[in-house]
Amino acid sequence: MKIYNTLTRQVEEFKPMHEAEVKMYTCGPTVYHYAHIGNLRSYIFEDVLEKTFTYLGYTVKRCMNITDVGHLSSDSDSGEDKMIKGAIREKKTVLEIADFYTECFKNDLEKLNVKWPEIVSKATDNIEEYIKIIEKLLQDGYAYASGGNIYFDTSKLEDYYQLTNHKVDEMVVGVREGVEEDTFKRNQADFVLWFTKSKFKEQELKWDSPWGYGYPGWHIECSGIAMKYLGEYIDIHCGGVDNIFPHHTNEIAQSEAYLGHFWCKYWVHGEHLNDASGKMSKSKGEFLTISLLEQKKYKPLAYRFMCLHSHYRKVLVFTYEALEQASIAYEKLKNKTLALQEEGILEKEAFDKYNILFKEKISDDLNTAAALTVLYDVLKDHSLNGTTKKALVDSFDQVLSLDLFKEEKKEMDKDLERYIEEKIEERRLAKEKKDYLLADQIRMELEKRNVFIKDTREGTIFEVR
Ligand code: AMP
Ligand code: ZN
């Protein structure tokens, strides 16, 4: 497997620390609102990556956080608290907001066939972990208390900017537009590990700590959760490109300072999905969610298909025209795969050849577009029998997850539905009058039309087979 590593700025051969196991950490959502389809592009890319590892024979241990505290509007610890903003907007508590949007996020992932990671942990469930880390950072001189908060001292590191290619001028917190300067910091790049002086009167979630009643910064959450569940070393850490700085930069700083050694070997980032006006937003313009696409009659998997056509490291611009085209192509593809019939025995040589080709493409820095081309080549190859084609499509779909063999539930014909309901009512009346002969005749009449009924406590239900 070859993958582009942001840390070394090159495509590298992927070699996990333990031969057959991949320890993977992916940054999860801040659950203050629905995920937009840009956020979801990142989760689709991470899903394809995880499934590629599995396809290649690795066991994957993947962990993801759910941010329900500490993430401010600016990733550099300033601005409004996103969770409080959500709670005020909807006149609910922060916990209600978190639960509601976590559930929505889960549903979105399910619709997109994105596997729920093996370990998912909420930021608020790991407070002790962050306190333990911060205490050690203070003891070892990597952190300091100032103005009521605990900060990480970035000047204590030789190479704080290792992940960002040392674009220090662009990166330093304080020079970026809209970021107010925090005068309690010793260095501009320092970041908050623990807040006790909340600027937010409405701050609901606070915990006791050795430094006072307060709450953790956003960055420490991922370090704490990753180390707790995956141990001292991880193989691969992913997120969207906006996570490179400051979030992942800070994760590396505090984790390596705490552990006293190197932490994660591969840092892999997905490019953004933009809308025609540029950056995707939850507050401006059309808020593009999976539900909105569904309302407009687009299938979530058509969106997944659209994402797979572009490389994860390239910006993708969302337009309805592009989604429309992807939908048509997706339907055509499904028509082809659903029409495949088992015929003959598996042609082992051809099966292996195409699997190798697919493997080559997908393990070439996740070239999903080229991997899809292999799928089309299989479908076009007249020398292959149906059994072999089906087996290959099935094998590729373990990574692509496009439900290529799943029949859509057909919308039931309204006339048929009315007819069935009438017959069920007729039968109920017949039974009431103890006319069991008529009741049985009705049942048989329905069965002739492939309608099977069952009497339950809640009434008679039916299934069309
Ligand atoms: P958040 O819920 O804001 O913490 O973001 C969740 C994930 O979505 C993170 O991994 C971000 O890097 C990613 N992300 C944010 N905006 C976009 C976008 N426009 N396109 C792709 N990924 C994004
Ligand atoms: Zn994170």
Side-chain angles (χ1 to χ4, degrees):
M1 171 84 183
K2 289 202 193 78
I3 195 86
Y4 182 85
N5 188 352
T6 310
L7 191 62
T8 56
R9 285 164 280 284
Q10 58 189 4
V11 175
E12 285 181 24
E13 190 63 41
F14 178 78
K15 286 200 194 91
M17 249 141 334
H18 303 282
E19 230 169 85
E21 190 192 46
V22 178
K23 289 190 179 181
M24 179 173 183
Y25 187 86
T26 53
C27 288
T30 307
V31 281
Y32 72 111
H33 218 323
Y34 296 105
H36 59 49
I37 57 171
N39 300 129
L40 294 166
R41 182 188 186 199
S42 287
Y43 298 105
I44 291 171
F45 128 69
E46 290 160 351
D47 182 60
V48 174
L49 184 58
E50 174 179 353
K51 286 173 179 163
T52 298
F53 286 136
T54 309
Y55 179 78
L56 296 176
Y58 294 108
T59 306
V60 184
K61 190 165 184 190
R62 176 169 164 203
C63 176
M64 181 178 82
N65 64 301
I66 299 280
T67 297
D68 51 2
V69 70
H71 194 174
L72 308 189
S73 289
S74 154
D75 291 349
S76 311
D77 309 325
S78 67
E80 292 172 280
D81 180 311
K82 290 190 180 188
M83 293 304 298
I84 297 175
K85 198 170 144 187
I88 293 171
R89 185 185 64 232
E90 297 183 22
K91 300 188 178 62
K92 290 190 180 139
T93 65
V94 163
L95 285 178
E96 282 166 349
I97 290 289
D99 283 349
F100 178 78
Y101 287 111
T102 303
E103 221 28 60
C104 296
F105 176 67
K106 228 179 194 173
N107 287 336
D108 285 347
L109 293 197
E110 219 173 279
K111 286 177 186 168
L112 290 164
N113 275 350
V114 171
K115 181 177 169 281
W116 192 244
E118 185 187 332
I119 305 157
V120 178
S121 191
K122 294 197 282 188
T124 48
D125 281 344
N126 299 284
I127 302 296
E128 281 166 30
E129 200 65 25
Y130 319 136
I131 292 179
K132 181 182 87 187
I133 297 169
I134 299 168
E135 276 187 310
K136 181 158 191 295
L137 291 175
L138 278 162
Q139 263 168 30
D140 296 350
Y142 286 108
Y144 59 92
S146 178
N149 292 335
I150 308 295
Y151 293 90
F152 187 91
D153 187 346
T154 53
S155 71
K156 292 280 156 43
L157 300 180
E158 264 174 39
D159 203 3
Y160 169 65
Y161 292 104
Q162 53 178 307
L163 194 62
T164 62
N165 200 10
H166 300 254
K167 288 188 223 143
V168 180
D169 289 346
E170 290 164 39
M171 297 299 174
V172 172
V173 180
V175 297
R176 297 196 317 172
E177 222 182 305
V179 177
E180 70 236 51
E181 207 173 318
D182 177 347
T183 49
F184 294 119
K185 289 181 184 181
R186 285 186 193 160
N187 314 287
Q188 272 190 327
D190 294 355
F191 55 93
V192 180
L193 296 165
W194 188 268
F195 292 94
T196 57
K197 285 263 155 47
S198 175
K199 291 184 281 197
F200 313 108
K201 285 194 285 303
E202 305 87 350
Q203 185 72 37
E204 280 174 32
L205 299 177
K206 288 189 188 181
W207 294 265
D208 267 331
S209 80
W211 323 287
Y213 204 43
Y215 64 103
W218 172 44
H219 315 294
I220 195 72
E221 294 172 9
C222 285
S223 291
I225 292 173
M227 288 192 271
K228 178 170 166 185
Y229 293 101
L230 299 177
E232 285 195 18
Y233 294 96
I234 52 178
D235 294 299
I236 188 160
H237 194 312
C238 310
V241 284
D242 57 306
N243 286 158
I244 298 174
F245 187 86
H247 186 49
H248 289 168
T249 299
N250 293 349
E251 276 191 49
I252 295 177
Q254 65 208 357
S255 303
E256 294 192 349
Y258 172 74
L259 292 166
H261 59 68
F262 171 83
W263 180 45
C264 171
K265 199 165 166 195
Y266 304 92
W267 289 84
V268 180
H269 296 97
E271 249 303 345
H272 275 186
L273 176 84
N274 291 338
D275 58 22
S277 68
K279 204 172 177 294
M280 190 139 300
S281 165
K282 296 190 184 189
S283 51
K284 288 183 219 102
E286 194 178 37
F287 183 1
L288 290 161
T289 59
I290 283 297
S291 317
L292 180 73
L293 298 190
E294 284 182 306
Q295 276 165 35
K296 293 183 188 264
K297 306 283 177 227
Y298 292 108
K299 289 181 188 153
L301 288 183
Y303 174 63
R304 181 176 174 113
F305 185 67
M306 180 177 138
C307 291
L308 296 185
H309 271 287
S310 71
H311 193 258
Y312 77 96
R313 281 199 290 123
K314 291 222 170 81
V315 171
L316 176 63
V317 177
F318 177 82
T319 60
Y320 281 107
E321 291 74 47
L323 182 60
E324 180 67 33
Q325 272 179 12
S327 292
I328 295 168
Y330 177 59
E331 291 309 323
K332 278 192 185 157
L333 173 63
K334 267 198 88 159
N335 286 341
K336 284 194 188 121
T337 52
L338 282 169
L340 290 173
Q341 300 286 337
E342 294 276 343
E343 45 168 27
I345 53 161
L346 184 88
E347 296 148 308
K348 186 78 174 65
E349 215 171 290
F351 178 78
D352 289 346
K353 181 189 97 180
Y354 275 112
N355 257 315
I356 289 169
L357 270 175
F358 183 84
K359 213 173 264 188
E360 246 173 52
K361 303 298 178 200
I362 201 75
S363 55
D364 177 14
D365 195 21
L366 230 52
N367 193 342
T368 45
L372 280 169
T373 307
V374 178
L375 170 67
Y376 281 107
D377 289 345
V378 165
L379 295 172
K380 273 192 300 211
D381 188 338
H382 297 301
S383 74
L384 297 177
N385 67 22
T387 306
T388 309
K389 285 189 181 183
K390 274 192 98 163
L392 282 164
V393 173
D394 197 38
S395 164
F396 303 165
D397 211 26
Q398 287 167 29
V399 176
L400 305 172
S401 294
L402 292 167
D403 280 356
L404 293 173
F405 287 128
K406 198 165 164 186
E407 299 262 11
E408 305 291 326
K409 261 199 225 142
K410 289 190 193 87
E411 264 200 40
M412 210 198 312
D413 181 320
K414 287 276 170 263
D415 290 340
L416 177 64
E417 199 173 344
R418 208 171 311 119
Y419 163 80
I420 298 170
E421 274 159 13
E422 276 168 19
K423 285 290 159 193
I424 287 178
E425 180 58 12
E426 239 179 75
R427 182 170 164 271
R428 191 187 66 77
L429 291 172
K431 278 170 76 178
E432 220 172 65
K433 290 183 194 147
K434 302 208 172 4
D435 187 350
Y436 297 113
L437 192 65
L438 179 60
D440 274 354
Q441 273 174 0
I442 295 169
R443 174 192 285 276
M444 284 186 300
E445 208 178 304
L446 284 166
E447 282 180 8
K448 268 195 214 142
R449 299 186 67 164
N450 287 330
V451 181
F452 295 84
I453 54 175
K454 196 172 155 194
D455 296 316
T456 71
R457 259 193 297 174
E458 285 75 33
T460 304
I461 55 170
F462 67 89
E463 189 191 352
V464 184
R465 288 185 204 151

